[in-house]
Amino acid sequence: MSTSESPHDTTGAAGETFEESLLKKALGGNIPAHIGIVMDGNGRWAVSRGLKRSEGHRAGVESLKRCLPALLRLGVKFCTFYVFSTENWKRPREEVQFLMDLILEYAKEDRSEFIRQGIRVIPIGRWKEMPRQVVQALSRLSLDTAGGDKLTVLLAVNYGGRQEIIDAAKHLALSYEGRKKELLAAGEEEFRQFLYEPTAPDVDLVIRTSGEMRLSNFLLWRAAYAELVFTDVLWPDFGPADLYKSIIEYQGRERRFGDVRRE
Ligand code: FPP
């Protein structure tokens, strides 16, 4: 069920829909600079409807598309979507193949829509190890949307948080080759330059759908101080109203970053 079909989406006294009132409320608070989303529950959504798991993934792409205008309305500058993890290769071969085809289709078909909306798309992860056609389509998408300045969408494809840290550590070490003393003096600021997309800020909010409460190797470095919001909604049912609610929940949290509360 899409959010617009939600039974809660009633028109209020001021003539505004439930979704609009949530948006207004969210806009009254602090908007996270970078949101990470673990789009979980596609399989369960499909199976509960007697459909194939692949149909859940297809519906999941529609949810992602529904979220983009909502992110733009909120003024969120960066959003990372967990599309395919380094562990997802363990899935049945047909499901992996379906996901590859879906990524390829999405990267090709939505290119002009991203450009129209001013969205820059950047793949992150070991995505260059994906099948050649997927790599080509993602490279082209990234190149063609490079001018987008409203929102940056990071597509985590063949992504693993541990792998990101290992890759960054190797590149950091290589960049200091022959300068051991300087390498040993390098700290967080030097290290973060070697993360997959160094222009992206730390993650303020991680949202995971489908009731699962874990990070699953997602953005481990950048989400060090992120607020975690878990919702029971399955990803294909997730829509703008759920995104606004997650942000309102985030706004209710007190972020201390290791400090103490100061009155
Ligand atoms: C988790 O649900 C979802 C994934 C592993 C894939 C995420 C992919 C999409 C939302 C669609 C592809 C996106 C693009 C941009 C092409 P699950 O399969 O683990 O669900 P389950 O836990 O209910 O089995």
Side-chain angles (χ1 to χ4, degrees):
M1 179 165 49
S2 79
T3 308
S4 56
E5 292 159 355
S6 160
H8 306 296
D9 195 10
T10 50
T11 304
E16 109 194 321
T17 64
F18 180 61
E19 189 177 305
E20 283 164 359
S21 69
L22 288 171
L23 171 63
K24 206 188 261 179
K25 187 161 185 212
L27 284 172
N30 187 18
I31 299 298
H34 187 172
I35 300 177
I37 305 186
V38 183
M39 308 179 283
D40 201 2
N42 296 347
R44 276 164 284 165
W45 180 91
V47 169
S48 72
R49 285 166 171 72
L51 301 170
K52 289 203 277 188
R53 289 177 56 80
S54 53
E55 290 310 313
H57 295 314
R58 193 170 280 290
V61 176
E62 296 308 312
S63 283
L64 195 165
K65 289 188 195 174
R66 279 200 301 273
C67 284
L68 298 178
L71 288 163
L72 288 165
R73 273 181 222 123
L74 288 161
V76 171
K77 285 295 177 195
F78 286 84
C79 187
T80 302
F81 292 93
Y82 208 178
V83 175
F84 191 88
S85 78
T86 45
E87 288 73 35
N88 285 154
W89 295 105
K90 294 178 197 156
R91 294 189 173 213
R93 204 165 53 90
E94 316 79 68
E95 184 167 342
V96 170
Q97 185 57 50
F98 185 87
L99 285 167
M100 299 291 143
D101 292 344
L102 206 55
I103 297 167
L104 187 62
E105 189 182 311
Y106 182 58
K108 282 186 174 170
E109 288 183 2
D110 279 51
R111 202 159 40 94
S112 51
E113 193 49 31
F114 283 125
I115 296 169
R116 194 187 64 76
Q117 296 188 73
I119 301 175
R120 172 171 76 139
V121 184
I122 300 177
I124 60 164
R126 293 182 179 171
W127 60 278
K128 291 201 171 146
E129 294 170 13
M130 300 291 275
R132 194 168 51 88
Q133 279 184 309
V134 175
V135 175
Q136 281 174 349
L138 289 173
S139 301
R140 168 124 198 250
L141 179 63
S142 163
L143 209 65
D144 291 354
T145 60
D149 59 359
K150 300 219 165 42
L151 163 70
T152 298
V153 164
L154 301 174
L155 294 179
V157 175
N158 198 19
Y159 175 90
R162 289 182 174 176
Q163 289 76 2
E164 177 172 26
I165 293 169
I166 291 170
D167 289 349
K170 285 181 185 167
H171 286 119
L172 174 85
L174 285 173
S175 79
Y176 280 88
E177 223 173 343
R179 296 184 293 146
K180 192 173 167 190
K181 227 168 130 182
E182 286 167 56
L183 171 64
L184 292 174
E188 282 185 27
E189 286 319 307
E190 288 78 12
F191 186 85
R192 70 167 64 244
Q193 304 309 320
F194 294 92
L195 293 173
Y196 288 145
E197 181 46 46
T199 65
D202 275 352
V203 175
D204 296 308
L205 165 65
V206 171
I207 300 170
R208 183 171 189 148
T209 56
S210 87
E212 307 289 350
M213 297 187 193
R214 42 178 187 271
L215 279 178
S216 300
N217 206 13
F218 188 50
L219 303 175
L220 297 183
W221 172 279
R222 286 195 193 288
Y225 277 97
E227 294 299 326
L228 310 179
V229 169
F230 300 106
T231 166
D232 287 338
V233 176
L234 302 175
W235 177 252
D237 287 330
F238 193 91
D242 302 296
L243 179 68
Y244 303 148
K245 279 188 215 162
S246 305
I247 288 174
I248 294 164
E249 186 172 337
Y250 159 85
Q251 290 167 341
R253 306 272 178 90
E254 186 191 15
R255 301 184 78 196
R256 293 195 296 275
F257 299 96
D259 199 347
V260 291
R261 177 194 291 225
R262 292 176 196 269
E263 301 303 338

